[in-house]
Amino acid sequence: MGVQGLDVFLDDHRRIYRDIEFRMSQLVVDGSNLIPLLYYNSGLDQTHGGEYAAFEALIERFIAALTTCEVTPYVVLDGGSDLIHKKLEIVTKRAEDQIKKAHQAAVEGRKKNILPPLAKQVFKQTLAQLKVPMAQCYGDADREIAALASEWNCPVLSGDSDFYIFDLPAGLLPFCYFQWKNVKEDGSQSFITCKTYHISRFSTVFKIQQQLLPTFAVLGGNDYVNLQRIRWTQFAPSESKTPSHLEGLLCWLKGFQQPQEALEAALVLMEELSKNSKTELLQNLSVGMEEYQLPSSSLKGFFHNGVTPEVVGPIHQVPDRIRLQLMQARLTPDVLDVLLLKRMSLSITVGHKNQPSVNLTSRPLRQVMYGLLLGEQRPVPVEERDREELKLTFILVKPIFSRVAQELKLSSLHEAKLSERLQVLLEALGVTEATLNDLPPQLRLPVAVTCYWLRRAQPPPDLKLAKALLLGMSNEDALRARADLQAEHPNGKPNLDVAHAFSQWQVCLKDSIQLNQLLGFPLPEPDVARLYQGTLVHQLVPRLTTGGRVKAFLGSGQSSVKQYHAMLSIIQQFHAREESTPSETRQRAAARRHPLNDLTANEEDSSAVRVHEELVNQVSVRTRYRTKERRNRSNNPELVRKEECQGQDFL
């Protein structure tokens, strides 16, 4: 986010910074900015769906470095989308760009900075385990971060260029110069070398009034105003070899003392605009500048005593307990988007444009969540923002109300019986409580999700993919196993079909975790960092396909082998029951759960019709194949015996 191109521009003007040795301080951390920066800068794989154990270890090292230097971090995360659509255009444009990059990453097998779907969940869980103070705002967190840092007189750590505009008494520590991996010592004290930035230094270096920085931000193009009508490069110094629009704008601003006169002068430069258009633009520019005026901090009380801030406007309609859980980051900000905007922005995962969106698989789970959030009395559709090929699409989806869910109210959801909340979750996943009882509590949700995925994913996943997932979950030292397999087979381009299937599993897990959170955790929340290691499970698939032995993969621990067999037994039994379902019934079930039936406003949409036809055709082909397979198996008892023993043979 932030002011477009400002960080690159300032990289050529490093005299604006001051070198410091950072230690013994509070630090307000821009968490939503830190997550992608940590992941992308680490060299972790991005094309196989995520390296979550390695990401968890990276977060732990980051916090350990701060602790060593006696720095106390307070992590602040973004919340839901803005309610008055100030950033809607820029957010939509970024989503469209991400869709194109995700396709390129799949085709080329190269990193394009697509964040794996469960990375944010791993980040939150890791901070919670480390007992790092963390707050999740109701909306964009930038102003709240700046306000808290201002009141505490401590710096902000971020890579967001908006913080170059805020007046921060203790300054900004740009993440790109924060050398946390190389902690140094001075006697008995440790410190992190970094650079600090203050707006006073900006004002001195570029010779403009300090109060003009918000004007500079909105005229230069930030997330709230994208002003492209003026060619600012015409005002750049004549000796500049490669003038940028920001350099030209700064030169132009030297002639002004106050923001209002600069704004009015900028409108004069846009002669083609009508008077009404100029009035509207001036209002938008003024609103954009107000975003840099700091309110009193609403987070200070939450960090000190856990009290949620007073709210006004639409957020006041959200039940108190839901607001508290949102602030504690125990609920996803998507909850606010559904409640207040009737909108849901879905995960963008690495995948080929010709493959359907992986989010179609988990839509029934989200529909249950929509029903719980909106209530039976408000059966309004939710607009899901997803992709179709390389386009951003908007599809209206109906909430689902099960018999038990109809009795539950959002405001008193936490008071409902555990058995009722568990029933809602398990019915959505299509498994029974008895099926999961023999598993350790932490594995019950992942195994239930795997059953759901086997039934819902299209095309139908091969059972070997499920075995690879279970092996990955069972390994006690995922980082060692990942390193061993990478040494044998360095990472290459992922198999697109395998990647598509695993991405479907991940979004099913993500949406199941969100539903489980909303229901008050009727099943224990799994440790996500233990569940999926992208390159590892991808490399296990060809081993399983060729009949390779993988006993060494699980190590010598009997607990890992026992855990794997327990999960595999459940999956195989579930898979066998699915395969024994009469073909006509299965085709009707596939048609009922089809995305077309979820639409409310555009049921004639041609893209949805195509998806519907594809799913029915795939189920039909699968049915014919399975019928032939059962016939062959009945004629070959030895083949049946070998397949039933295969799970034990390769161990």
Side-chain angles (χ1 to χ4, degrees):
M1 299 294 181
V3 182
Q4 298 169 26
L6 180 57
D7 49 352
V8 176
F9 173 71
L10 292 181
D11 200 43
D12 295 329
H13 297 81
R14 296 195 183 183
R15 67 186 187 280
I16 205 169
Y17 302 109
R18 181 168 59 90
D19 293 324
I20 64 167
E21 298 174 352
F22 186 59
R23 73 187 96 187
M24 293 187 295
S25 173
Q26 292 177 308
L27 178 67
V28 182
V29 179
D30 181 358
S32 295
N33 187 259
L34 179 65
I35 295 170
L37 288 177
L38 274 181
Y39 197 96
Y40 298 154
N41 294 343
S42 66
L44 293 177
D45 181 86
Q46 298 178 22
T47 58
H48 292 76
E51 298 285 355
Y52 297 126
F55 186 45
E56 177 190 54
L58 186 72
I59 299 164
E60 290 172 345
R61 291 201 302 273
F62 175 77
I63 298 300
L66 298 181
T67 303
T68 299
C69 301
E70 299 181 65
V71 173
T72 305
Y74 292 83
V75 179
V76 183
L77 299 161
D78 285 331
S81 305
D82 73 276
L83 301 180
I84 56 177
H85 309 299
K86 293 177 293 187
K87 294 172 125 180
L88 184 58
E89 182 179 348
I90 191 71
V91 169
T92 299
K93 176 65 167 60
R94 284 177 177 145
E96 292 170 343
D97 291 341
Q98 287 290 90
I99 290 171
K100 294 173 184 176
K101 289 180 180 179
H103 170 70
Q104 292 173 352
V107 171
E108 300 171 10
R110 294 194 297 127
K111 299 173 183 177
K112 294 291 183 179
N113 287 355
I114 305 297
L115 194 67
L118 295 169
K120 293 180 182 178
Q121 185 68 23
V122 171
F123 183 80
K124 292 178 183 180
Q125 285 189 342
T126 307
L127 292 190
Q129 291 162 7
L130 297 173
K131 295 181 169 48
V132 175
M134 173 175 50
Q136 183 174 259
C137 295
Y138 298 135
D140 187 278
D142 286 0
R143 292 182 77 206
E144 297 295 343
I145 290 170
L148 181 64
S150 178
E151 292 197 20
W152 281 355
N153 195 25
C154 71
V156 168
L157 176 66
S158 179
D160 188 336
S161 55
D162 265 332
F163 290 101
Y164 286 99
I165 310 301
F166 288 110
D167 186 2
L168 302 172
L172 167 70
L173 306 182
F175 185 80
C176 58
Y177 301 119
F178 195 71
Q179 304 300 309
W180 66 271
K181 292 182 179 179
N182 187 24
V183 173
K184 297 182 178 181
E185 294 184 359
D186 179 13
S188 61
Q189 294 184 332
S190 299
F191 62 89
I192 295 171
T193 58
C194 57
K195 296 182 184 292
T196 185
Y197 161 90
H198 292 78
I199 64 170
S200 58
R201 182 65 178 162
F202 188 104
S203 177
T204 300
V205 169
F206 293 108
K207 298 181 174 59
I208 70 166
Q209 296 298 315
Q210 192 167 299
Q211 63 267 23
L212 288 175
L213 260 71
T215 313
F216 164 71
V218 296
L219 292 178
N222 67 354
D223 289 341
Y224 299 97
V225 182
N226 189 7
L227 196 63
Q228 298 178 333
R229 296 181 176 87
I230 302 175
R231 190 171 59 87
W232 295 112
T233 53
Q234 63 183 303
F235 302 107
S238 57
E239 65 272 14
S240 180
K241 295 180 180 179
T242 56
S244 71
H245 76 287
L246 294 180
E247 183 180 16
L249 173 57
L250 286 169
C251 289
W252 181 80
L253 281 172
K254 290 178 183 178
F256 300 96
Q257 297 294 315
Q258 296 298 325
Q260 191 65 26
E261 64 172 317
L263 292 180
E264 292 174 355
L267 293 179
V268 172
L269 297 175
M270 294 180 282
E271 299 175 351
E272 75 282 2
L273 288 184
S274 66
K275 183 177 180 180
N276 288 340
S277 296
K278 288 184 178 182
T279 301
E280 181 181 355
L281 180 58
L282 181 61
Q283 183 178 1
N284 290 338
L285 291 169
S286 299
V287 170
M289 288 174 56
E290 290 175 3
E291 293 297 324
Y292 299 106
Q293 304 304 313
L294 296 184
S296 59
S297 174
S298 63
L299 295 177
K300 186 169 60 174
F302 175 77
F303 279 123
H304 281 164
N305 51 37
V307 175
T308 57
E310 292 293 328
V311 294
V312 295
I315 293 178
H316 186 70
Q317 307 166 16
V318 179
D320 292 346
R321 186 173 182 84
I322 297 296
R323 291 207 307 270
L324 176 60
Q325 291 175 316
L326 284 165
M327 186 69 75
Q328 294 170 333
R330 289 172 61 82
L331 284 178
T332 170
D334 294 329
V335 166
L336 275 181
D337 284 359
V338 174
L339 280 172
L340 303 180
L341 299 172
K342 312 300 181 291
R343 190 169 72 208
M344 181 78 151
S345 295
L346 303 181
S347 299
I348 297 172
T349 60
V350 173
H352 196 281
K353 67 180 180 65
N354 292 338
Q355 293 172 319
S357 167
V358 297
N359 297 303
L360 294 176
T361 308
S362 58
R363 180 177 289 170
L365 299 174
R366 295 192 300 276
Q367 289 177 282
V368 174
M369 184 175 76
Y370 301 157
L372 291 169
L373 288 171
L374 300 178
E376 191 180 17
Q377 302 304 316
R378 301 171 62 193
V380 295
V382 174
E383 180 188 73
E384 290 193 342
R385 300 187 166 202
D386 202 357
R387 75 156 183 89
E388 182 182 357
E389 296 184 346
L390 293 180
K391 296 180 180 178
L392 186 66
T393 60
F394 308 90
I395 301 174
L396 295 178
V397 177
K398 293 179 181 178
I400 286 179
F401 306 93
S402 68
R403 181 185 60 80
V404 177
Q406 289 176 9
E407 306 299 322
L408 303 178
K409 305 298 181 185
L410 181 62
S411 58
S412 58
L413 197 55
H414 61 289
E415 299 173 355
K417 294 179 181 178
L418 174 62
S419 59
E420 293 177 341
R421 292 182 279 121
L422 180 60
Q423 185 177 349
V424 172
L425 177 64
L426 295 183
E427 283 182 355
L429 290 168
V431 297
T432 63
E433 185 176 2
T435 302
L436 307 174
N437 277 344
D438 293 336
L439 291 172
Q442 279 275 321
L443 291 176
R444 291 174 185 175
L445 185 58
V447 170
V449 168
T450 306
C451 292
Y452 173 93
W453 167 74
L454 282 170
R455 186 175 72 253
R456 294 277 186 175
Q458 296 295 340
D462 190 291
L463 196 55
K464 292 183 178 63
L465 300 185
K467 291 178 180 178
L469 287 169
L470 300 182
L471 283 167
M473 293 182 208
S474 302
N475 190 274
E476 294 178 348
D477 189 353
L479 290 178
R480 178 197 59 79
R482 168 178 168 265
D484 291 346
L485 283 177
Q486 284 179 335
E488 295 178 25
H489 304 284
N491 295 339
K493 290 174 59 176
N495 179 297
L496 292 181
D497 292 333
V498 172
H500 182 69
F502 285 153
S503 290
Q504 289 181 88
W505 182 85
Q506 284 207 67
V507 296
C508 289
L509 179 62
K510 178 182 177 182
D511 289 337
S512 297
I513 288 175
Q514 292 182 355
L515 180 57
N516 189 49
Q517 290 173 344
L518 182 61
L519 287 165
F521 303 94
L523 287 179
E525 184 160 285
D527 185 354
V528 176
R530 306 271 77 79
L531 299 181
Y532 184 87
Q533 321 307 326
T535 53
L536 188 151
V537 295
H538 272 259
Q539 291 176 21
L540 283 172
V541 172
R543 283 194 174 201
L544 293 169
T545 303
T546 58
R549 297 175 64 84
V550 291
K551 182 176 181 179
F553 169 77
L554 286 178
S556 58
Q558 288 300 311
S559 61
S560 296
V561 176
K562 183 179 179 181
Q563 178 176 292
Y564 170 75
H565 280 302
M567 293 190 292
L568 180 60
S569 176
I570 292 172
I571 294 300
Q572 287 178 325
Q573 291 175 28
F574 180 86
H575 192 254
R577 287 196 300 271
E578 283 292 295
E579 295 308 311
S580 66
T581 305
S583 59
E584 294 81 7
T585 303
R586 290 171 63 191
Q587 289 189 43
R588 285 198 299 271
R592 282 198 302 271
R593 66 178 179 247
H594 193 277
L596 181 63
N597 294 335
D598 300 333
L599 306 179
T600 59
N602 52 347
E603 294 182 348
E604 301 302 320
D605 183 89
S606 59
S607 63
V609 173
R610 287 199 303 275
V611 173
H612 177 67
E613 292 171 347
E614 289 171 4
L615 291 179
V616 172
N617 288 338
Q618 289 164 351
V619 171
S620 179
V621 170
R622 182 184 180 193
T623 301
R624 291 197 300 272
Y625 170 77
R626 293 303 184 189
T627 302
K628 180 179 178 182
E629 182 185 44
R630 284 195 295 271
R631 189 162 55 247
N632 292 339
R633 287 161 60 89
S634 65
N635 295 330
N636 193 342
E638 182 62 20
L639 173 64
V640 174
R641 186 190 66 79
K642 287 182 178 180
E643 289 185 351
E644 289 176 345
C645 295
Q646 185 179 16
Q648 298 177 355
D649 285 346
F650 64 69
L651 291 172

